[in-house]
Amino acid sequence: MGRTFIAQRGQTKSTNDRQFRRDRQTPEVRYSIENAVEIFIHAKEAEGLRKSTIKGYHDTVRYFRDWLSHDIGYIDEITSTLIRNYINYLKNDRLPYQGDEQREKTKKGLSVFTINIRLRNLKAIFRFLVDEGIINKNPTGNIPLVKDDEHEEVQGLADAEIDMILGSYDDKQFAQWRDKTLVLLLLDTGLRINEAMSLTVDNVGFQQNTLIVPSEIAKNRKHREIPISREISKRLRQLVDETEQYFGEGSRIFMNAYGDDFTADAFRKRLNRLKKKLDIPKLHPHMLRHTFARNYILNGGDVFTLQKILDHADIQTTRKYIQMDSEHLRQQHNKFSPVRRLFNRKGKRL
């Protein structure tokens, strides 16, 4: 039996400290996986997390529960070994797009990026459950994120590819003219696709040539004002006039041909079809954001202003967006080479 340490006279006798801690950590009730997750979800909803974030937690648990043995029903039965086995399953056995015959691939294993999204969500859930006293031990506590070889960051589009894309649209067709306007807007502002799709007439300052991204649609929940070029402002005004003519006032700026909200997924699918038509290796909305970032710097913009426009909390994230291919590197080197300046000095011979 451990000895009791007395620091001050007059203390009442207490239970052995180690035994007290052990007793206090023992939950009185065992929670099912479903009940424990429900408590977590309710807490996050109370904190004001967005619906998309809540859905991400739901999806993560659903994927994990589908893999988990049905013999395991209580949250305290989930161990670190189970979590590691699940990670190995995601790395080696899980088929991407499983269940979708048109998209399912023969190669097994999800990307490290996708695995780490699920692992981060599981870590958040179990960390909360420990803090709330629902379980004693965090089974993900000693499990690091999955490491991977360094991959090339998302590249922007080459100038020739941009010309091909813009030249492919038929301005006589409403949907194609709208798509072209959206592409130009993303190339001019670097907006996230969901931010662009949520824009209304009230968010555009046509006289000031500015866009307002309200905090409720911004990823980082920060209200920001973005400058736009005069040409894009005029084009948006024309799109708004046509949209209101067809579908009435109060509509979003980007609508489909039936008067419904044009969605990010619908735009991605249209870009994917265009990619195949033009034989471009990759084409998705985020590439337009990266293209804006790269060209902004190449045209003389500074990285600190770019960080503000892109709504990045960390400037290191902004730096990752500035990916230049070999041709851009050659152009910049020719423009700023110190030795070339020496040769170009009047009367200077080396």
Side-chain angles (χ1 to χ4, degrees):
M1 180 176 177
R3 292 179 295 174
T4 301
F5 174 73
I6 301 175
Q8 184 176 347
R9 294 181 63 199
Q11 287 185 169
T12 57
K13 187 175 180 180
S14 62
T15 309
N16 179 274
D17 185 58
R18 284 176 293 178
Q19 182 65 38
F20 172 75
R21 287 199 303 268
R22 188 162 56 249
D23 290 343
R24 197 176 74 173
Q25 289 178 350
T26 303
E28 297 179 358
V29 180
R30 293 186 75 192
Y31 292 82
S32 69
I33 295 174
E34 289 71 23
N35 287 343
V37 171
E38 185 179 3
I39 293 171
F40 169 81
I41 293 297
H42 284 171
K44 295 306 169 182
E45 288 175 338
E47 291 176 13
L49 266 63
R50 288 194 170 139
K51 291 182 179 179
S52 59
T53 305
I54 297 297
K55 182 181 181 300
Y57 286 124
H58 275 300
D59 290 343
T60 295
V61 173
R62 176 167 54 84
Y63 296 140
F64 181 58
R65 199 70 178 94
D66 288 345
W67 171 85
L68 198 61
S69 169
H70 292 292
D71 294 336
I72 297 177
Y74 291 101
I75 195 70
D76 58 10
E77 294 179 286
I78 298 174
T79 63
S80 298
T81 300
L82 276 175
I83 298 294
R84 291 189 179 97
N85 289 342
Y86 179 58
I87 293 173
N88 285 327
Y89 160 75
L90 295 178
K91 288 172 62 179
N92 304 315
D93 298 320
R94 176 68 163 84
L95 289 173
Y97 311 116
Q98 193 165 13
D100 187 335
E101 295 181 358
Q102 294 183 342
R103 301 181 70 190
E104 190 171 290
K105 301 177 182 178
T106 56
K107 181 181 178 181
K108 293 184 178 182
L110 301 183
S111 70
V112 170
F113 178 79
T114 301
I115 294 171
N116 281 337
I117 288 176
R118 298 188 187 182
L119 183 53
R120 284 190 184 95
N121 285 346
L122 288 174
K123 281 177 168 289
I125 292 170
F126 284 109
R127 188 164 54 244
F128 169 86
L129 296 177
V130 169
D131 291 342
E132 292 293 308
I134 292 173
I135 56 176
N136 291 334
K137 187 177 180 181
N138 182 354
T140 66
N142 294 324
I143 299 179
L145 296 176
V146 179
K147 294 183 179 180
D148 192 19
D149 294 334
E150 184 176 347
H151 290 290
E152 188 179 74
E153 297 291 337
V154 176
Q155 292 284 341
L157 295 162
D159 291 345
E161 291 174 325
I162 295 174
D163 291 341
M164 287 173 59
I165 292 167
L166 296 177
S168 70
Y169 290 117
D170 181 358
D171 288 351
K172 295 179 181 179
Q173 302 295 322
F174 170 77
Q176 293 196 43
W177 191 82
R178 175 209 59 208
D179 286 3
K180 186 176 181 178
T181 301
L182 179 55
V183 168
L184 287 168
L185 173 66
L186 297 178
L187 289 172
D188 190 49
T189 63
L191 282 173
R192 300 178 179 95
I193 184 59
N194 288 326
E195 293 173 341
M197 292 304 192
S198 301
L199 289 175
T200 65
V201 179
D202 294 337
N203 299 137
V204 185
F206 294 104
Q207 296 297 324
Q208 302 81 11
N209 297 324
T210 57
L211 285 180
I212 298 296
V213 181
S215 58
E216 58 266 24
I217 67 174
K219 182 178 180 180
N220 291 329
R221 296 194 169 189
K222 293 181 179 178
H223 172 282
R224 73 185 193 279
E225 182 176 301
I226 299 176
I228 58 176
S229 65
R230 187 185 310 122
E231 294 79 8
I232 297 302
S233 180
K234 290 180 179 179
R235 196 175 181 97
L236 288 176
R237 178 73 265 178
Q238 186 177 351
L239 179 59
V240 167
D241 291 341
E242 289 193 22
T243 302
E244 291 184 346
Q245 177 185 343
Y246 299 142
F247 310 120
E249 295 184 2
S251 305
R252 287 185 179 178
I253 291 177
F254 295 101
M255 310 289 291
N256 67 21
Y258 298 97
D260 299 321
D261 292 341
F262 190 39
T263 66
D265 282 342
F267 183 54
R268 289 188 186 97
K269 291 177 181 177
R270 292 176 67 85
L271 286 182
N272 190 53
R273 289 196 294 268
L274 186 61
K275 174 193 75 173
K276 295 176 182 178
K277 176 183 176 182
L278 300 178
D279 195 24
I280 296 175
K282 291 183 180 180
L283 182 58
H284 52 80
H286 212 60
M287 291 182 70
L288 300 172
R289 181 168 161 89
H290 280 261
T291 303
F292 162 77
R294 181 201 66 207
N295 289 352
Y296 185 87
I297 294 297
L298 287 174
N299 290 333
D302 67 276
V303 70
F304 298 104
T305 304
L306 179 61
Q307 177 190 7
K308 185 77 172 178
I309 294 173
L310 293 177
D311 188 33
H312 286 156
D314 186 353
I315 199 168
Q316 295 304 320
T317 304
T318 309
R319 292 180 185 277
K320 290 181 180 179
Y321 272 63
I322 309 169
Q323 297 297 315
M324 301 182 190
D325 58 26
S326 299
E327 180 59 30
H328 286 116
L329 292 176
R330 283 192 292 269
Q331 291 174 4
Q332 292 299 96
H333 181 268
N334 288 336
K335 186 177 180 181
F336 297 109
S337 169
V339 170
R340 188 160 192 173
R341 291 187 62 189
L342 288 175
F343 278 105
N344 288 337
R345 286 181 186 175
K346 186 175 182 180
K348 183 73 174 179
R349 294 185 179 182
L350 297 175

